[in-house]
Amino acid sequence: MHRLELLFRRAERVEVLVGAGAWEALPGLWRPEWRQAALIGDSRVMSLFGARLEALLGARVGALHPLSFPPGEAHKTRDTKQRLEDALLEAGLDRGGVVVAVGGGLSLDVAGFLAATYQRGLPWLALPTTLLAQVDAAVGGKVGVNTPRGKNLVGAFHQPSAVLVEPAVLEDLPPEVWRDGLAELVKHALLADAGLFARLEAEAERLRLPCVPEDGLLARALAIKAEVVQADEREDDRRMVLNLGHTVAHAVEAATRHAWSHGRAVACGLRVELRLAERRTGFPAGERARVDRLLEQLGFPPEAPGPASEVLAWAAADKKRRGGQLGLALPEALGRMATRDGRYALVVQPGELEAAWAATFA
Ligand SMILES: NC(=O)c1ccc[n+]([C@@H]2O[C@H](COP(=O)([O-])OP(=O)(O)OC[C@H]3O[C@@H](n4cnc5c(N)ncnc54)[C@H](O)[C@@H]3O)[C@@H](O)[C@H]2O)c1
């Protein structure tokens, strides 16, 4: 079992357990003041794991309130959160309660946000069940919901007390959901750890389809995210590195009206942004070719989602929203992000993105 301990500035301590049996550690982590618990996840994860978790928690807690909501981004809303809150108020969950969030990034975001505001804030525990949530979404404390104007526009920073990563639950993930996590895994290796990148290359064949990754692989990827968010909890500058590939990815998602999954869009974004890095930071062409190859081996063929002008218009709209400048964090080598004047965000002109796009899909 791998054990990490994250410390945030406001003295919040987050215990992270990664490995077989992590969920079984739940009763041992339980605090005496947690007299009631809400167990929250989307209906799919609750039907897969709800009974197991109820059995685990039943012995520790006086009253357990299992609640679910329909899966999918369309239900990651204020309305869903409100309905869950009303059900918990009705059930009498008070300030002696704790929220146990189970599921992918979506369930953790909704349940964590509920925990951030219910009775002015309850502690919560994160039990991630997708690859994306296990290597990324479960740590960092960003929680929230979508609005008709965009994704994750209403939310909070609220750190979970513990994150319990049980790798075996990944075995039966739908392949597309699995792949979304692979793209983030490649991103983490790219931005901080050339050794992890080489390991992904060596294991690409096995990792291409849903499987149970080794604890060490998950723990390393999660530690990269943890290290970045501890250094910059509120997204001042350093946390920008986690956006690698995402400026283009968000434009791709918008241009395809989300017909492209997040992982597929991130793979495309990494390809384009590395071409940009070649020009801006001297990222070596040979390393860029290794990234292209790994993405392809993991099931992301090089494919353009549409004409550059259509897709990049969305990036330009993003620029407008951010005060007229497009800031991107780019690597200068495998495992190392570039800085200029001590900052990670490099100002990029739309023309540079267009040129990188053209070079990627020539
Ligand atoms: N808070 C953060 O830092 C952060 C970071 C990245 C992404 N996110 C958010 O995460 C969400 C995407 O997360 P996701 O990709 O995990 O998707 P998701 O949570 O929507 O899960 C995808 C699907 O897989 C199902 N599922 C979950 N675990 C399963 C399992 N073990 N076996 C079988 N099916 C399972 C779910 O029910 C759902 O239908 C987005 O809403 C995104 O905004 C948040």
Side-chain angles (χ1 to χ4, degrees):
M1 183 85 67
H2 294 255
R3 195 180 285 269
L4 312 172
E5 197 177 284
L6 279 58
L7 277 177
F8 290 90
R9 263 187 226 141
R10 287 173 298 156
E12 291 161 312
R13 192 174 147 273
V14 181
E15 183 154 2
V16 182
L17 293 181
V18 183
W23 283 9
E24 269 63 39
L26 194 52
L29 292 171
W30 209 258
R31 298 191 193 149
E33 63 268 27
W34 296 343
R35 293 180 304 276
Q36 297 186 50
L39 174 63
I40 302 178
D42 72 33
S43 52
R44 184 152 188 203
V45 287
M46 285 299 279
S47 71
L48 286 169
F49 307 114
R52 175 176 167 192
L53 292 169
E54 281 183 50
L56 256 177
L57 292 172
R60 290 303 320 225
V61 66
L64 179 65
H65 311 289
L67 287 177
S68 66
F69 56 94
E73 288 291 326
H75 298 284
K76 187 181 175 182
T77 58
R78 286 173 284 194
D79 187 48
T80 294
K81 176 175 175 269
Q82 189 176 321
R83 269 191 275 135
L84 296 168
E85 285 161 350
D86 287 344
L88 290 173
L89 291 167
E90 180 78 15
L93 184 78
D94 60 20
R95 291 203 40 79
V98 60
V99 173
V100 180
V102 59
L106 191 155
S107 296
L108 303 188
D109 277 5
V110 172
F113 185 30
L114 179 147
T117 61
Y118 189 86
Q119 307 236 355
R120 299 199 177 80
L122 295 184
W124 71 291
L125 308 169
L127 277 58
T129 64
T130 62
L131 180 59
L132 179 134
Q134 292 200 347
V135 300
D136 190 339
V139 301
K142 274 206 218 170
V143 292
V145 295
N146 303 333
T147 81
R149 287 186 176 272
K151 281 187 69 178
N152 301 323
L153 290 183
V154 174
F157 285 92
H158 187 46
Q159 299 295 342
S161 302
V163 178
L164 305 179
V165 176
E166 179 69 72
V169 301
L170 301 180
E171 196 160 22
D172 298 320
L173 270 186
E176 182 142 292
V177 177
W178 169 262
R179 276 204 324 166
D180 282 347
L182 286 179
E184 302 293 349
L185 198 52
V186 172
K187 181 198 77 179
H188 283 179
L190 234 172
L191 69 90
D193 189 344
L196 177 62
F197 189 88
R199 185 167 175 186
L200 295 178
E201 288 178 314
E203 294 182 27
E205 183 92 5
R206 183 173 106 86
L207 289 173
R208 187 185 169 96
L209 289 173
C211 64
V212 179
E214 273 185 65
D215 302 355
L217 187 82
L218 296 172
R220 178 62 197 127
L222 202 57
I224 291 170
K225 166 103 187 244
E227 193 266 322
V228 173
V229 298
Q230 281 177 107
D232 179 17
E233 190 182 358
R234 297 294 167 131
E235 218 160 35
D236 174 30
D237 177 55
R238 176 83 199 281
R239 205 163 167 158
M240 282 282 299
V241 301
L242 298 172
N243 267 342
L244 177 58
H246 282 63
T247 300
V248 171
H250 290 148
V252 169
E253 287 178 298
T256 62
R257 300 193 192 294
H258 292 271
W260 277 42
S261 75
H262 185 63
R264 194 173 168 202
V266 169
C268 174
L270 288 176
R271 281 196 166 94
V272 175
E273 292 185 24
L274 285 187
R275 291 278 185 170
L276 177 62
E278 257 180 80
R279 289 151 194 232
R280 280 296 296 272
T281 68
F283 189 85
E287 294 191 352
R288 198 256 310 140
R290 276 175 70 189
V291 178
D292 282 348
R293 205 159 42 242
L294 176 61
L295 289 171
E296 182 139 23
Q297 284 172 325
L298 291 176
F300 301 105
E303 45 180 358
S309 55
E310 242 168 64
V311 179
L312 296 180
W314 288 94
D318 206 32
K319 175 184 139 184
K320 237 192 219 159
R321 271 200 302 276
R322 288 162 195 269
Q325 279 194 338
L326 204 52
L328 265 73
L330 297 170
E332 58 190 8
L334 270 183
R336 201 170 65 241
M337 296 299 283
T339 54
R340 294 288 178 269
D341 303 321
R343 299 204 45 101
Y344 287 93
L346 312 183
V347 176
V348 169
Q349 303 306 325
E352 292 180 280
L353 260 190
E354 278 160 32
W357 183 281
T360 308
F361 300 114

